[in-house]
Amino acid sequence: MKKLNVNQMKYLAAVFMAVDSLYLAFSGVFPEWFHLITRFVAPLFAFFVVEGFFHTRSREKYLSRLWIAAALMQLGDYLSFLLLGQNRITDNIFLTLAIGFGMMCVWERAKSAEKGRKIALYSAGALIFLAGAAFSVIPITIGRYSFGLEGGIQILSVIGIFYLFYGSRKKQVLVFLAWNVLLLLLTGVPLPWNYETPGIWFSELCFNSESLTFLFLPFLLLYSGEKGKKSKFNRYFFYCFYPAHLWILHLAAFFLR
């Protein structure tokens, strides 16, 4: 079943990402299940950030690209807040991925550090994770503008677990599933018997589906382990497509309403 390389899977994920953005930009127009079938996209990109961490020629350049993209994206989000009002863009997965990549860099340094420094560095990485988790729940507010961490604890969990157990896909999947079950219990996943009709339950599940991060795991069966063709287009496609498609959809929603 391992048929798709990194580039092919990223393009596939980009299509579903656009579907989810379409659903969110035009709230109430498209069916609710649009949101449910796209829950694999962000964690799949997080998984490939871990893969990239171990295969990139320069982790420093990779981290710089993520932080530059995150800063520009956040600036664009703020501009959309000023121009579009309620149609503003709130997404910035670059920021989440940059924090996760930084967390891995700290833990990687811990591997070759002396015992005392090793403990300090692993603790620092854990603090980065906790700070990111807190940031996903408690947004930063500046005047009337506020922003949080997209994906938050779910995406950072993918990065943390798949980094710490890198080299053993079985351990990665089992530990992540156990962690995801815990998150589902803590966040209170909608249960069918708590609702009057299956339709109401399904609607609630589609709306509160952020903890269904495990839905990206089946896609690992399709992953060939290969990068695919190396080119600047493939390298920078997502950095450009992600903000561009959000601006196009949110501008369309602004002018059509």
Side-chain angles (χ1 to χ4, degrees):
M1 292 181 64
K2 298 180 182 298
K3 300 288 187 180
L4 304 179
N5 59 41
V6 173
N7 292 333
Q8 291 168 330
M9 293 192 74
K10 282 186 175 181
Y11 291 132
L12 175 65
V15 172
F16 280 86
M17 177 175 62
V19 169
D20 189 48
S21 299
L22 187 67
Y23 166 77
L24 294 174
F26 294 90
S27 180
V29 176
F30 296 95
E32 297 169 322
W33 54 263
F34 269 36
H35 190 54
L36 187 62
I37 65 172
T38 61
R39 294 306 83 210
F40 75 93
V41 174
L44 186 62
F45 276 110
F47 166 77
F48 284 127
V49 163
V50 179
E51 290 289 293
F53 180 85
F54 286 102
H55 292 96
T56 184
R57 292 181 179 180
S58 174
R59 289 170 181 167
E60 290 77 14
K61 289 182 179 180
Y62 200 139
L63 183 61
S64 296
R65 284 198 302 270
L66 285 174
W67 276 111
I68 291 172
L72 292 175
M73 188 73 197
Q74 200 60 56
L75 181 62
D77 285 2
Y78 179 67
L79 182 61
S80 76
F81 165 73
L82 297 177
L83 296 177
L84 305 180
Q86 66 176 2
N87 292 104
R88 73 186 183 101
I89 301 168
T90 58
D91 308 87
N92 190 353
I93 197 64
F94 293 135
L95 181 57
T96 313
L97 299 179
I99 290 174
F101 199 95
M103 177 177 67
M104 289 190 290
C105 288
V106 172
W107 280 338
E108 192 67 15
R109 288 191 177 186
K111 290 181 179 180
S112 57
E114 296 179 357
K115 186 175 180 181
R117 182 170 168 78
K118 184 188 294 287
I119 295 174
L121 287 171
Y122 274 120
S123 299
L127 286 175
I128 292 174
F129 176 86
L130 292 174
F135 185 22
S136 66
V137 178
I138 307 172
I140 293 176
T141 301
I142 304 174
R144 295 186 298 112
Y145 179 69
S146 64
F147 65 98
L149 193 65
E150 183 183 0
I153 189 171
Q154 291 89 353
I155 302 307
L156 291 178
S157 297
V158 175
I159 295 174
I161 292 172
F162 277 78
Y163 167 80
L164 292 173
F165 295 93
Y166 190 81
S168 175
R169 182 72 79 233
K170 183 177 180 180
K171 289 181 180 179
Q172 287 177 324
V173 171
L174 290 177
V175 173
F176 183 75
L177 280 174
W179 172 250
N180 206 198
V181 168
L182 178 61
L183 285 181
L184 288 171
L185 293 175
L186 292 175
T187 56
V189 62
L191 299 173
W193 50 84
N194 290 333
Y195 296 86
E196 294 181 1
T197 67
I200 296 175
W201 165 75
F202 185 72
S203 178
E204 184 67 19
L205 180 65
C206 291
F207 182 75
N208 293 313
S209 57
E210 299 305 317
S211 293
L212 303 181
T213 322
F214 65 89
L215 293 177
F216 89 98
L217 294 176
F219 287 86
L220 301 189
L221 297 174
L222 300 174
Y223 177 42
S224 67
E226 298 175 351
K227 172 68 176 177
K229 183 180 179 180
K230 293 183 179 180
S231 69
K232 287 188 176 180
F233 179 84
N234 288 329
R235 174 180 292 181
Y236 293 104
F237 170 79
F238 180 63
Y239 290 100
C240 299
F241 176 80
Y242 179 67
H245 93 283
L246 286 172
W247 269 98
I248 291 171
L249 290 175
H250 283 262
L251 282 171
F254 177 78
F255 286 110
L256 291 176
R257 288 184 174 179

